[in-house]
Amino acid sequence: MNTYPLMVSEDLVVQAKRTTLLSSAAAINAAVTGLDRLTEENVTAAMAGVESEGVSRAIVTDPYGRVLYDTRDVGSAAGYYVFYNELVEALRGNIAWYSVYQDGAFHSSAAQPVLYRNQVIGGVYVYEYDTQQAALLTTLQNNLMTVSVVLAVVMLVVSLFFSRQLTQRLGNLQTAIRGVREGAYNQRAVMTGHDEFTQIAGEFNDLVDRLQETESARRQFVSDASHELKTPLAAIRLLTDSILQNRNIDNDTAMEFVSDIGQEAERLSRITEDLLRLTRLDSGLMDTASGRVAVEPVLERVVRMLRPVAHEKSVDIFTHVDEGAEVVAAEGELYQVLYNLAENAVKYNRPDGFVRILVRAGAETTVITVEDNGIGIPEGELDNVFKRFYRVDKARSRAAGGTGLGLSIVSDTVSRRGGAVRAERIPEGGTRFTVTLPSLERGEAAT
Ligand code: ADP
């Protein structure tokens, strides 16, 4: 910004100098043109009528560079030989000029040959030393400098202001990130405005919300799991203590206690098995050997396993499977889902009740419904039953050997396979669980 206008103005002045100096030289040249030979006398006489305005010095020389006329009185070069570059060039028959801005002044010179019948009979040399225009240029330079300095200061202040603001906002974000890293999940980034920072802060806060939810779910899960494990362990402790402390315990009572201990141990192993299954689902470790599985044989196995219990409770099990019904899952997963739902339907039934399992094959999905006319689930609890360790009736679930994890396993497995499960009440007073699972592998088209 500083240099460009200066360069342009300097160039303009130099061009103007060229024009004036060359025309001054031409005027002098015109005065001596016509003479066949230049001498001190005839040149001085010819120069008498010439006003060499706009130049500081004018010199006329013979063809060898000897000065015949010099406008300068003090330090006149008359009679001496001069070899200014431009003059030498002129004596060779060319027009020459030169101008430079140096040390606060313009030094300009121009020279022309004096011709007689196309022969160089001398040279005209004019020189100008100009401080006036140079002073203008210096003023311009100074003004530009002042403007630049002022602008630089303003820009510095403005950028300092913005960078401080930026640092402060980044600092806010950093404090929040550090807080969360150290475990303060309630820490949020406070950011006002509508720019990218606010967006990032918003995203960060959402992320922390999710983290907080996950963390509290994890804590809840650990605490529930410990509690669930503690209950059978406490019972085992109590039963063993009773046997150990009672020396005269009769055989039948001891046997009863030991069988109770066995039942509690079995319960413990059921809970740990379910917990392991859930952990595996949580970490995304799925049975890789998945593909399209025919539902019918798996359902037959489930029913075979449950028939004795159902018979004991005089509960009837009906099944209907559409021909060729398949789902995309590992066989073990399908077995687990069907078993957990059917077992619940038997467990939470009433004498002479029924369990109806229907499998409908659609174009892209297979829908499995497990209905019973058992004790039912209150309307408000229908969504809760899929939560971990949730039981509508704790005592009843325990008595039936439940862990409160069966439906969580169903729900997690099904959603990992891209399906869904929901529970609803049916008019007969029982419950219907509907599982939807894809029947085509990814990329397969329905036929
Ligand atoms: P549990 O091991 O206790 O059966 P689940 O996760 O399988 O755990 O089920 C959670 C709760 O949902 C059960 O404790 C029970 O209260 C209720 N429930 C599940 N299935 C049925 C059903 N078919 N009829 C009535 N209640 C049910």
Side-chain angles (χ1 to χ4, degrees):
M1 202 194 81
N2 240 323
T3 343
Y4 184 70
L6 273 180
M7 263 165 46
V8 171
S9 339
E10 201 179 307
D11 209 39
L12 279 174
V13 174
V14 165
Q15 291 306 327
K17 293 280 171 218
R18 173 178 181 239
T19 320
T20 23
L21 279 185
L22 282 176
S23 69
S24 298
I28 295 170
N29 203 349
V32 294
T33 298
L35 300 172
D36 58 350
R37 209 171 66 88
L38 302 184
T39 60
E40 271 184 40
E41 293 71 32
N42 63 11
V43 170
T44 312
M47 287 301 290
V50 179
E51 286 208 13
S52 45
E53 244 182 78
V55 295
S56 322
R57 188 180 188 187
I59 288 174
V60 180
T61 67
D62 68 6
Y64 312 106
R66 198 167 68 89
V67 177
L68 303 173
Y69 173 83
D70 189 348
T71 49
R72 191 182 277 178
D73 292 331
V74 183
S76 166
Y80 293 102
Y81 286 89
V82 286
F83 299 102
Y84 301 124
N85 285 344
E86 294 71 37
L87 184 66
V88 172
E89 197 57 34
L91 294 178
R92 283 188 189 137
N94 303 315
I95 293 176
W97 75 280
Y98 174 73
S99 183
V100 67
Y101 172 67
Q102 209 173 40
D103 307 327
F106 276 99
H107 303 263
S108 324
S109 52
Q112 283 191 356
V114 182
L115 301 174
Y116 181 73
R117 289 188 180 162
N118 279 339
Q119 290 290 315
V120 178
I121 56 159
V124 175
Y125 173 84
V126 288
Y127 168 79
E128 193 206 21
Y129 175 80
D130 179 10
T131 48
Q132 227 172 23
Q133 303 219 38
L136 277 178
L137 212 66
T138 313
T139 318
L140 183 69
Q141 199 171 13
N142 290 343
N143 287 348
L144 278 176
M145 188 66 94
T146 317
V147 171
S148 308
V149 168
V150 169
L151 270 180
V153 169
V154 168
M155 272 169 64
L156 200 75
V157 170
V158 170
S159 22
L160 265 177
F161 172 75
F162 278 119
S163 81
R164 275 192 69 163
Q165 239 193 3
L166 223 68
T167 322
Q168 204 173 11
R169 303 183 83 197
L170 272 176
N172 279 352
L173 206 61
Q174 208 173 19
T175 315
I177 292 172
R178 278 209 194 114
V180 173
R181 193 183 61 197
E182 270 144 38
Y185 290 111
N186 54 353
Q187 186 118 19
R188 293 291 179 278
V190 187
M191 204 70 78
T192 50
H194 303 282
D195 56 3
E196 283 80 1
F197 273 109
T198 323
Q199 274 174 23
I200 292 176
E203 303 261 335
F204 171 76
N205 290 344
D206 288 348
L207 188 78
V208 180
D209 283 346
R210 288 282 303 276
L211 257 178
Q212 198 174 20
E213 271 168 33
T214 317
E215 178 60 15
S216 73
R218 190 187 65 83
R219 283 198 186 145
Q220 185 64 43
F221 181 61
V222 170
S223 122
D224 288 348
S226 324
H227 187 77
E228 289 296 326
L229 292 172
K230 225 169 74 186
T231 321
L233 279 175
I236 291 173
R237 235 1 250 283
L238 197 77
L239 289 163
T240 45
D241 281 354
S242 313
I243 298 171
L244 288 174
Q245 280 161 17
N246 196 345
R247 299 208 161 270
N248 311 324
I249 191 163
D250 64 273
N251 221 8
D252 286 350
T253 323
M255 281 312 284
E256 199 184 312
F257 280 11
V258 172
S259 126
D260 286 352
I261 290 174
Q263 269 177 23
E264 293 299 331
E266 199 182 312
R267 207 170 123 66
L268 269 176
S269 81
R270 258 199 318 271
I271 297 175
T272 39
E273 256 168 47
D274 280 358
L275 282 174
L276 273 173
R277 219 167 261 141
L278 273 175
T279 318
R280 236 177 283 138
L281 281 168
D282 271 352
S283 54
L285 290 171
M286 286 195 291
D287 211 330
T288 42
S290 73
R292 278 154 59 167
V293 184
V295 183
E296 193 157 17
V298 180
L299 181 61
E300 269 171 16
R301 263 168 55 214
V302 170
V303 174
R304 217 177 305 132
M305 286 296 289
L306 288 172
R307 269 234 205 271
V309 197
H311 185 73
E312 211 174 280
K313 297 186 76 172
S314 52
V315 170
D316 280 328
I317 303 179
F318 304 99
T319 60
H320 167 84
V321 183
D322 277 357
E323 216 179 292
E326 290 178 324
V327 294
V328 178
E331 198 178 312
E333 291 172 341
L334 177 64
Y335 181 87
Q336 195 67 54
V337 168
L338 289 173
Y339 185 88
N340 287 5
L341 292 176
E343 191 202 22
N344 279 351
V346 173
K347 245 177 8 188
Y348 302 108
N349 219 308
R350 38 179 130 237
D352 301 323
F354 66 79
V355 175
R356 230 178 353 226
I357 304 169
L358 305 177
V359 182
R360 300 244 172 261
E364 289 179 16
T365 52
T366 296
V367 181
I368 304 168
T369 53
V370 180
E371 300 177 338
D372 63 72
N373 63 340
I375 60 166
I377 299 171
E379 193 68 45
E381 309 268 14
L382 284 170
D383 287 334
N384 292 338
V385 291
F386 296 103
K387 291 182 185 158
R388 294 173 181 193
F389 297 115
Y390 193 90
R391 290 126 161 166
V392 179
D393 181 344
K394 250 186 169 26
R396 188 175 177 138
S397 160
R398 281 234 172 80
T403 60
L405 295 172
L407 287 179
S408 309
I409 293 173
V410 169
S411 153
D412 285 12
T413 311
V414 167
S415 62
R416 282 233 168 252
R417 288 292 171 194
V421 57
R422 64 168 203 278
E424 65 200 313
R425 289 165 64 80
I426 60 168
E428 285 102 321
T431 319
R432 177 192 296 135
F433 284 88
T434 309
V435 171
T436 315
L437 274 170
S439 55
L440 295 177
E441 289 188 68
R442 207 166 293 165
E444 273 184 318
T447 47

